[in-house]
Amino acid sequence: MEIELKTIFTECELNKFLQSNFFTERVEKGSEQVLQLTSVYYDTPDFALQKQGSVYRVRTTQFADGKKEFESTTKRTVKKNGGVAEREEINEPQENALPKLPDVQEIFRTEVTRKIYYLEHGQALFEMAIDRGKIVAVNGRTETIDEVEFEVKTGGVEDLENLRQALHQVADFQEEEKSKYARGMALLR
């Protein structure tokens, strides 16, 4: 189960947050990592996966040393509350970036530089991912990605709610209710 909070910070507010005591006291020292992510989203020509409430993507992750990993992911949203989403998520390693599902075609892709930090808050561990990049639909339309995600790594929804409340006390940000998938689908219309 994936449990995450999507947010939008201005550049100024993000910089203030990264220098705040709240962040520096909770970040795991040495946890910073920068990745290049290309996620290609697929569906059938008649959008059968979307009609079933499913999302299918294949992600290429490039690490700082040039190493690449490939992973397919199937997601289904279980519950949403503002910027907080709970999703069933199945990840499978792959040998390449080609889709394993038959009869699917690319509908859009995301190209993102992701900076990751791990934060401890209460008894929980969160991955903080600063994503900057773009969504590119097969029709040529694009949209900028500039968001910060807080994903629960150990803990539960209550822990994320506690973090959400604490973040609102120390930072000025908006919650992003639309997933990258929803934003990509909107570009196809």
Side-chain angles (χ1 to χ4, degrees):
M1 181 75 69
E2 175 186 60
I3 305 168
E4 69 179 8
L5 169 66
K6 285 187 178 295
T7 65
I8 301 172
F9 281 76
T10 65
E11 189 69 27
C12 179
E13 285 299 324
L14 180 58
N15 287 333
K16 281 175 30 182
F17 176 70
L18 293 175
Q19 295 171 16
S20 72
N21 286 341
F22 182 90
F23 177 79
T24 59
E25 291 170 0
R26 288 165 177 78
V27 68
E28 283 189 358
K29 304 303 180 222
S31 68
E32 181 180 336
Q33 189 175 18
V34 178
L35 308 170
Q36 300 298 320
L37 307 177
T38 301
S39 299
V40 181
Y41 291 76
Y42 294 92
D43 209 329
T44 62
D46 63 350
F47 294 95
L49 295 173
Q50 181 192 33
K51 291 173 185 170
Q52 296 170 8
S54 295
V55 175
Y56 177 72
R57 74 166 185 229
V58 178
R59 173 175 284 167
T60 302
T61 301
Q62 183 170 335
F63 297 87
D65 64 2
K67 179 184 169 202
K68 290 184 180 181
E69 290 182 359
F70 308 97
E71 178 180 71
S72 64
T73 301
T74 304
K75 294 185 181 192
R76 181 183 302 257
T77 299
V78 176
K79 187 176 177 184
K80 277 191 69 69
N81 177 16
V84 175
E86 295 179 63
R87 296 183 186 91
E88 293 175 351
E89 181 176 284
I90 300 168
N91 298 304
E92 295 182 25
Q94 294 201 169
E95 292 184 20
N96 56 45
L98 300 174
K100 289 185 176 180
L101 291 183
D103 305 319
V104 294
Q105 60 191 23
E106 179 178 343
I107 53 176
F108 65 88
R109 67 180 49 223
T110 62
E111 299 167 355
V112 170
T113 298
R114 173 171 283 180
K115 184 180 272 190
I116 295 174
Y117 298 94
Y118 287 93
L119 304 176
E120 294 178 354
H121 183 71
Q123 300 298 310
L125 178 66
F126 300 90
E127 178 184 273
M128 176 182 167
I130 303 169
D131 286 350
R132 294 200 166 106
K134 62 184 175 180
I135 303 169
V136 182
V138 293
N139 62 10
R141 295 179 66 198
T142 65
E143 185 174 325
T144 300
I145 297 171
D146 196 3
E147 63 188 29
V148 182
E149 298 176 356
F150 296 89
E151 182 178 343
V152 176
K153 290 303 187 181
T154 61
V157 176
E158 301 81 24
D159 297 301
L160 185 59
E161 281 299 328
N162 290 338
L163 177 66
R164 177 196 222 175
Q165 291 173 11
L167 287 171
H168 277 293
Q169 298 298 316
V170 298
D172 185 22
F173 64 91
Q174 295 177 312
E175 293 186 20
E176 174 59 78
E177 294 189 24
K178 293 181 185 172
S179 66
K180 291 178 185 81
Y181 176 79
R183 294 170 63 196
M185 292 302 292
L187 291 175
L188 297 175
R189 295 185 182 99

